[in-house]
Amino acid sequence: MQIKINDMLRDYIEPLTEAEHSALERSLLAEGCRDALVLWDDVLVDGHNRYAICQKHGIPFKVTQNTSFKSMEDVMLWMIDNHLGRRSVSDFQRGVLALRKKDILAQRAEEDNARIQAEDASIAPPEPEAEAAPAPKVRTSREDIARAARLSSNTISQIEKIQKTATPELVEAVRAGTISINAAATVASLPDADQVAAVAGGKKFLQQAAREIREQRAASRPPKAPKAVPEGEGEAEGGHSGAPWDGPSEVEQLRLEVAQLKDKNAALRAENAELRERIATLVDAS
């Protein structure tokens, strides 16, 4: 059988690092290819690295057919579940895979609902007492995805942010373990040029950039409103029973908060400009 390589399936899962590929090659040369390659008809689904190494060195291998696949989405879901079960997959990779699974299931649910509505519109309406069978629930909430990836919901949110706003350089730093998911999600809030410069500064500078961004955010939070004083507890010590002072009005309080936020915004802009200058200095010196 002539095995076919689908480029999309080959690149769907995170590629091996050079060290991982070298370790796999040594293992295959020493022990042979013990696990069968998985095919969908004549398309290779699982074992792209093993197949390439076996072809290179003439190592015999076995194949097995998975007859449960009905579509390319079935293949992708199987690949995702297969890799989520492996210990060697990093937290970031598991999160990315789980989010891909979420997208596929959500798209399927939309297509199924549209198909059901179209079918219902083409037939006579059911009797009033007849109840339609509820559609099966597709588990695509953040909690479900986090559970499948064995991660927290907060970590899934951070990975989503990295996917949406991080530059390729920052994403690669997360994959390589140079920066944590938490810190990368924070640095991803910077403009692209600043993200690239931060990555170029190395691990310590990435950590420093994330720390300074968190400090800026903490400083920009508006102060908590003072607790209301219960009636009768605001009397003066001398026993005066006059009406207690209620403090500034709501409008005055809002004006005060706006003024404070403007001051903090100006301070943050200055700190951001200083941070950029420090990034540029460190990059030039490296």
Side-chain angles (χ1 to χ4, degrees):
M1 173 187 294
Q2 181 66 32
I3 296 178
K4 295 181 179 179
I5 303 298
N6 182 294
D7 292 339
M8 181 177 63
L9 293 181
R10 181 192 60 196
D11 301 332
Y12 193 65
I13 302 298
E14 195 74 21
L16 297 178
T17 64
E18 292 184 8
E20 291 170 339
H21 190 277
S22 298
L24 176 61
E25 187 170 23
R26 289 193 300 269
S27 175
L28 291 174
L29 287 170
E31 304 175 13
C33 188
R34 296 177 297 179
D35 298 325
L37 310 181
V38 179
L39 302 179
W40 178 33
D41 293 331
D42 57 354
V43 177
L44 183 60
V45 172
D46 182 60
H48 290 86
N49 293 293
R50 284 177 285 142
Y51 177 68
I53 294 172
C54 288
Q55 290 288 90
K56 175 182 176 181
H57 298 286
I59 302 172
F61 58 86
K62 297 179 181 179
V63 298
T64 183
Q65 284 283 346
N66 190 320
T67 58
S68 65
F69 301 141
K70 299 296 187 296
S71 65
M72 185 63 73
E73 288 76 17
D74 287 342
V75 176
M76 292 178 176
L77 288 173
W78 182 89
M79 293 174 70
I80 290 172
D81 289 338
N82 188 41
H83 280 76
L84 284 176
R86 295 180 176 176
R87 296 180 180 178
S88 59
V89 180
S90 68
D91 287 351
F92 181 73
Q93 290 173 322
R94 285 205 307 273
V96 170
L97 292 173
L99 289 170
R100 288 179 181 176
K101 182 176 182 178
K102 172 188 175 182
D103 292 340
I104 294 175
L105 294 179
Q107 180 63 30
R108 279 191 168 183
E110 290 182 7
E111 293 173 353
D112 290 342
N113 290 335
R115 176 179 52 80
I116 292 173
Q117 291 177 4
E119 291 175 352
D120 290 345
S122 64
I123 61 177
E127 295 297 328
E129 62 274 8
E131 296 183 359
K137 182 180 179 181
V138 179
R139 297 185 177 276
T140 58
S141 69
R142 181 171 283 109
E143 291 73 18
D144 294 326
I145 297 304
R147 193 177 301 111
R150 303 193 301 278
L151 300 171
S152 68
S153 298
N154 185 50
T155 299
I156 290 294
S157 298
Q158 292 170 344
I159 293 174
E160 281 186 299
K161 180 177 181 180
I162 292 170
Q163 287 187 304
K164 292 177 181 178
T165 62
T167 61
E169 292 82 0
L170 182 57
V171 172
E172 185 58 34
V174 182
R175 289 173 176 167
T178 305
I179 185 174
S180 68
I181 295 172
N182 188 356
T186 302
V187 176
S189 62
L190 291 173
D192 289 357
D194 294 341
Q195 291 185 40
V196 174
V199 173
K203 183 175 183 178
K204 289 185 178 180
F205 188 74
L206 280 168
Q207 293 173 342
Q208 179 182 351
R211 182 170 57 254
E212 292 186 1
I213 293 170
R214 294 192 189 104
E215 291 173 353
Q216 290 177 6
R217 289 177 178 173
S220 67
R221 295 192 187 103
K224 293 183 179 180
K227 293 183 179 179
V229 179
E231 185 176 353
E233 294 185 7
E235 297 180 356
E237 291 185 8
H240 300 293
S241 58
W245 181 62
D246 292 332
S249 66
E250 184 177 356
V251 173
E252 292 172 339
Q253 182 67 29
L254 289 175
R255 286 175 177 170
L256 177 61
E257 291 183 4
V258 168
Q260 291 174 339
L261 289 174
K262 286 183 178 180
D263 291 340
K264 289 181 178 179
N265 186 39
L268 286 175
R269 289 177 180 273
E271 290 178 6
N272 192 30
E274 181 182 355
L275 178 60
R276 291 187 181 183
E277 291 179 0
R278 293 170 63 181
I279 290 174
T281 302
L282 288 173
V283 172
D284 293 339
S286 60

